[in-house]
Amino acid sequence: VLAYQMQGSYPQAEQVAADAIRQQPRNARLHLLYGQSLMGSGRYTQTIEAANDALKYDPDLIEAYVLRGMAYTNLNKYSLAVSDFDEALERDPAHEQARNERIWAFIQMEDYDRALADINAILADDPDNFDMLLQRAQVFAAQDNREAAYADLARALEITASDGDPYRKVSALLERAIIARQFKDTPQALADYDELLQLYPGDSGYALEKGMTYWEQGDKAEADAAFVL
């Protein structure tokens, strides 16, 4: 099953897991594997049913709570998702995936205070957690706290300068450009798109976003120039 899942062959993984369940119907981990395969196929309602079966045979199976919570998230049932992530974290407070998924659910619910509580707890132990810095910047931006959002993005970019990871640098620059546009900070957004275009000259996506930034401030001439690489 795991081999098929790693290859992205979820229908085959489902079939193998279903065959194994027929042989061992009370095996919670087989139900979990079946549910994970269903999740990979985007069959979220069936994923929940499989996770329920797993938990029926092992009520402390943390991965089943996380899986069911993720399925609920994909069905926009965020309160149910949070409840499952809570169950997982009660059993293992250090479970990274459960914490990360709960943060995402809080953000979708626009429950930014609880999202920040989780993010801050992670950053208290790992102040240079790049992904959490970007996520906290998003939350701060949603709360109209531009200065705090920029501070986290600046720190994220400092981290990329030291580790030399170009993909993370792109992520931080893109996020700052998006947030800058949200706050109508056109100079910052344009500076970030210019830096992205220096990293990837001729990238039509960055050129388009730069042009849209000019367009949003009513500068049609500069917009047209940016659209033409």
Side-chain angles (χ1 to χ4, degrees):
V1 176
L2 291 174
Y4 280 129
Q5 288 179 351
M6 291 177 65
Q7 296 168 10
S9 303
Y10 296 110
Q12 293 92 329
E14 291 170 29
Q15 187 59 55
V16 172
D19 290 343
I21 287 170
R22 280 190 282 273
Q23 300 297 318
Q24 301 180 58
R26 299 175 65 84
N27 188 314
R29 291 212 163 264
L30 289 177
H31 287 286
L32 175 66
L33 287 170
Y34 181 54
Q36 290 169 337
S37 302
L38 292 165
M39 184 76 174
S41 296
R43 298 166 64 188
Y44 305 126
T45 300
Q46 296 94 326
T47 298
I48 291 166
E49 294 169 356
N52 289 342
D53 289 335
L55 291 166
K56 178 169 66 177
Y57 298 116
D58 184 355
D60 290 320
L61 186 56
I62 293 172
E63 292 86 349
Y65 286 110
V66 175
L67 177 67
R68 190 171 66 182
M70 292 170 63
Y72 280 134
T73 296
N74 279 283
L75 292 171
N76 301 326
K77 297 181 177 180
Y78 301 118
S79 294
L80 291 172
V82 167
S83 178
D84 273 339
F85 300 138
D86 287 345
E87 291 284 353
L89 288 163
E90 283 180 13
R91 289 164 174 78
D92 179 5
H95 198 286
E96 183 176 352
Q97 186 179 14
R99 180 63 62 83
N100 290 345
E101 294 292 343
R102 188 170 71 177
I103 290 168
W104 178 247
F106 284 147
I107 291 172
Q108 298 311 300
M109 296 167 69
E110 298 185 3
D111 189 343
Y112 300 126
D113 288 340
R114 286 202 286 176
L116 280 176
D118 274 354
I119 294 170
N120 288 338
I122 294 170
L123 288 170
D125 293 331
D126 182 9
D128 290 340
N129 187 309
F130 179 85
D131 293 331
M132 287 298 107
L133 287 168
L134 257 60
Q135 202 151 49
R136 190 168 67 177
Q138 294 168 3
V139 174
F140 282 142
Q143 294 180 316
D144 290 326
N145 189 342
R146 181 173 69 172
E147 290 72 20
Y150 278 4
D152 276 347
L153 291 166
R155 179 58 194 141
L157 285 164
E158 287 175 3
I159 293 168
T160 67
S162 62
D163 67 19
D165 187 331
Y167 300 105
R168 298 212 297 184
K169 183 174 184 178
V170 166
S171 296
L173 287 170
L174 272 176
E175 192 60 49
R176 190 167 64 184
I178 291 167
I179 289 173
R181 287 168 69 180
Q182 174 186 326
F183 288 108
K184 297 182 170 38
D185 183 358
T186 301
Q188 182 63 66
L190 291 174
D192 287 333
Y193 288 129
D194 282 340
E195 189 165 355
L196 287 164
L197 285 165
Q198 288 174 12
L199 290 169
Y200 296 99
D203 188 292
S204 59
Y206 301 145
L208 174 62
E209 293 303 325
K210 180 181 176 181
M212 289 303 300
T213 303
Y214 279 120
W215 189 275
E216 289 163 2
Q217 70 168 7
D219 193 336
K220 186 176 183 301
E222 289 289 357
D224 289 343
F227 291 145
V228 179
L229 289 174

CSV table of all heavy atoms in Angstrom, one decimal, residues 186 190 210-227:
chain,number,residue,atom,x,y,z
A,186,THR,N,2.7,50.0,-2.7
A,186,THR,CA,3.2,49.7,-4.1
A,186,THR,C,4.7,49.7,-4.2
A,186,THR,O,5.2,48.7,-4.9
A,186,THR,CB,2.6,50.7,-5.1
A,186,THR,OG1,1.2,50.7,-5.0
A,186,THR,CG2,3.0,50.4,-6.5
A,190,LEU,N,6.6,46.4,-5.8
A,190,LEU,CA,7.4,46.4,-7.0
A,190,LEU,C,8.8,46.1,-6.8
A,190,LEU,O,9.4,45.4,-7.6
A,190,LEU,CB,7.3,47.9,-7.6
A,190,LEU,CG,5.9,48.3,-8.1
A,190,LEU,CD1,6.0,49.8,-8.5
A,190,LEU,CD2,5.5,47.5,-9.3
A,210,LYS,N,3.8,42.1,-11.5
A,210,LYS,CA,4.3,43.5,-11.5
A,210,LYS,C,3.4,44.4,-12.2
A,210,LYS,O,3.1,45.5,-11.8
A,210,LYS,CB,5.8,43.5,-12.0
A,210,LYS,CG,6.4,44.9,-12.0
A,210,LYS,CD,7.8,44.8,-12.6
A,210,LYS,CE,8.4,46.2,-12.6
A,210,LYS,NZ,9.8,46.2,-13.2
A,211,GLY,N,3.0,44.0,-13.4
A,211,GLY,CA,2.1,44.8,-14.2
A,211,GLY,C,0.8,45.1,-13.5
A,211,GLY,O,0.3,46.2,-13.5
A,212,MET,N,0.3,44.1,-12.9
A,212,MET,CA,-1.0,44.2,-12.2
A,212,MET,C,-0.8,45.2,-11.0
A,212,MET,O,-1.8,45.9,-10.7
A,212,MET,CB,-1.5,42.9,-11.7
A,212,MET,CG,-2.0,41.9,-12.8
A,212,MET,SD,-3.3,42.7,-13.8
A,212,MET,CE,-4.6,43.0,-12.5
A,213,THR,N,0.4,45.2,-10.4
A,213,THR,CA,0.6,46.1,-9.3
A,213,THR,C,0.5,47.6,-9.8
A,213,THR,O,-0.1,48.5,-9.2
A,213,THR,CB,2.0,45.8,-8.6
A,213,THR,OG1,2.0,44.5,-8.2
A,213,THR,CG2,2.2,46.8,-7.4
A,214,TYR,N,1.2,47.8,-11.0
A,214,TYR,CA,1.1,49.2,-11.6
A,214,TYR,C,-0.4,49.5,-11.9
A,214,TYR,O,-0.9,50.6,-11.7
A,214,TYR,CB,1.9,49.3,-12.8
A,214,TYR,CG,3.4,49.5,-12.6
A,214,TYR,CD1,4.4,48.6,-13.0
A,214,TYR,CD2,3.8,50.7,-11.9
A,214,TYR,CE1,5.7,48.9,-12.7
A,214,TYR,CE2,5.2,51.0,-11.7
A,214,TYR,CZ,6.1,50.0,-12.1
A,214,TYR,OH,7.4,50.3,-11.9
A,215,TRP,N,-1.1,48.5,-12.5
A,215,TRP,CA,-2.5,48.7,-12.9
A,215,TRP,C,-3.3,49.1,-11.7
A,215,TRP,O,-4.2,49.9,-11.8
A,215,TRP,CB,-3.0,47.4,-13.5
A,215,TRP,CG,-4.3,47.6,-14.2
A,215,TRP,CD1,-5.5,47.5,-13.7
A,215,TRP,CD2,-4.5,47.9,-15.6
A,215,TRP,NE1,-6.5,47.7,-14.6
A,215,TRP,CE2,-5.9,47.9,-15.8
A,215,TRP,CE3,-3.7,48.1,-16.7
A,215,TRP,CZ2,-6.5,48.2,-17.0
A,215,TRP,CZ3,-4.3,48.3,-17.9
A,215,TRP,CH2,-5.7,48.4,-18.1
A,216,GLU,N,-3.1,48.4,-10.6
A,216,GLU,CA,-3.9,48.7,-9.4
A,216,GLU,C,-3.8,50.2,-8.9
A,216,GLU,O,-4.7,50.7,-8.3
A,216,GLU,CB,-3.5,47.8,-8.2
A,216,GLU,CG,-4.0,46.3,-8.5
A,216,GLU,CD,-3.3,45.3,-7.6
A,216,GLU,OE1,-2.4,45.7,-6.8
A,216,GLU,OE2,-3.5,44.1,-7.8
A,217,GLN,N,-2.6,50.8,-9.2
A,217,GLN,CA,-2.4,52.2,-8.8
A,217,GLN,C,-2.7,53.1,-9.9
A,217,GLN,O,-2.5,54.3,-9.8
A,217,GLN,CB,-1.0,52.4,-8.3
A,217,GLN,CG,0.1,52.4,-9.3
A,217,GLN,CD,1.4,52.9,-8.8
A,217,GLN,OE1,1.5,53.2,-7.6
A,217,GLN,NE2,2.4,53.0,-9.6
A,218,GLY,N,-3.3,52.6,-11.0
A,218,GLY,CA,-3.7,53.4,-12.1
A,218,GLY,C,-2.6,53.9,-13.1
A,218,GLY,O,-2.9,54.8,-13.9
A,219,ASP,N,-1.5,53.2,-13.1
A,219,ASP,CA,-0.4,53.6,-14.0
A,219,ASP,C,-0.4,52.6,-15.2
A,219,ASP,O,0.3,51.6,-15.2
A,219,ASP,CB,1.0,53.5,-13.2
A,219,ASP,CG,2.1,54.1,-14.0
A,219,ASP,OD1,2.0,54.2,-15.2
A,219,ASP,OD2,3.1,54.6,-13.3
A,220,LYS,N,-1.2,52.9,-16.2
A,220,LYS,CA,-1.4,52.0,-17.3
A,220,LYS,C,-0.1,51.9,-18.1
A,220,LYS,O,0.2,50.8,-18.6
A,220,LYS,CB,-2.5,52.5,-18.2
A,220,LYS,CG,-2.9,51.5,-19.3
A,220,LYS,CD,-4.1,52.0,-20.0
A,220,LYS,CE,-4.5,51.0,-21.1
A,220,LYS,NZ,-3.5,50.7,-22.1
A,221,ALA,N,0.6,53.0,-18.3
A,221,ALA,CA,1.8,52.9,-19.1
A,221,ALA,C,2.9,52.0,-18.5
A,221,ALA,O,3.4,51.1,-19.3
A,221,ALA,CB,2.4,54.3,-19.3
A,222,GLU,N,3.1,52.1,-17.2
A,222,GLU,CA,4.1,51.2,-16.6
A,222,GLU,C,3.6,49.8,-16.6
A,222,GLU,O,4.3,48.8,-16.7
A,222,GLU,CB,4.4,51.7,-15.2
A,222,GLU,CG,5.2,53.0,-15.1
A,222,GLU,CD,6.6,52.7,-15.5
A,222,GLU,OE1,7.0,51.6,-15.8
A,222,GLU,OE2,7.4,53.7,-15.5
A,223,ALA,N,2.3,49.6,-16.4
A,223,ALA,CA,1.7,48.3,-16.5
A,223,ALA,C,1.9,47.6,-17.8
A,223,ALA,O,2.3,46.5,-17.9
A,223,ALA,CB,0.2,48.4,-16.2
A,224,ASP,N,1.6,48.3,-18.9
A,224,ASP,CA,1.8,47.8,-20.2
A,224,ASP,C,3.3,47.5,-20.4
A,224,ASP,O,3.6,46.4,-21.0
A,224,ASP,CB,1.4,48.8,-21.3
A,224,ASP,CG,-0.1,49.0,-21.3
A,224,ASP,OD1,-0.8,48.1,-20.8
A,224,ASP,OD2,-0.6,50.0,-21.9
A,225,ALA,N,4.2,48.3,-19.9
A,225,ALA,CA,5.6,48.0,-20.1
A,225,ALA,C,6.0,46.8,-19.4
A,225,ALA,O,6.9,46.0,-19.8
A,225,ALA,CB,6.5,49.2,-19.6
A,226,ALA,N,5.5,46.6,-18.2
A,226,ALA,CA,5.8,45.4,-17.4
A,226,ALA,C,5.3,44.1,-18.0
A,226,ALA,O,5.9,43.1,-17.9
A,226,ALA,CB,5.2,45.5,-16.0
A,227,PHE,N,4.1,44.2,-18.7
A,227,PHE,CA,3.5,43.0,-19.3
A,227,PHE,C,4.4,42.5,-20.5
A,227,PHE,O,4.3,41.3,-20.8
A,227,PHE,CB,2.1,43.3,-19.8
A,227,PHE,CG,1.1,43.5,-18.7
A,227,PHE,CD1,0.1,44.5,-18.9
A,227,PHE,CD2,1.2,42.8,-17.5
A,227,PHE,CE1,-0.9,44.7,-17.8
A,227,PHE,CE2,0.3,43.1,-16.5
A,227,PHE,CZ,-0.8,43.9,-16.7
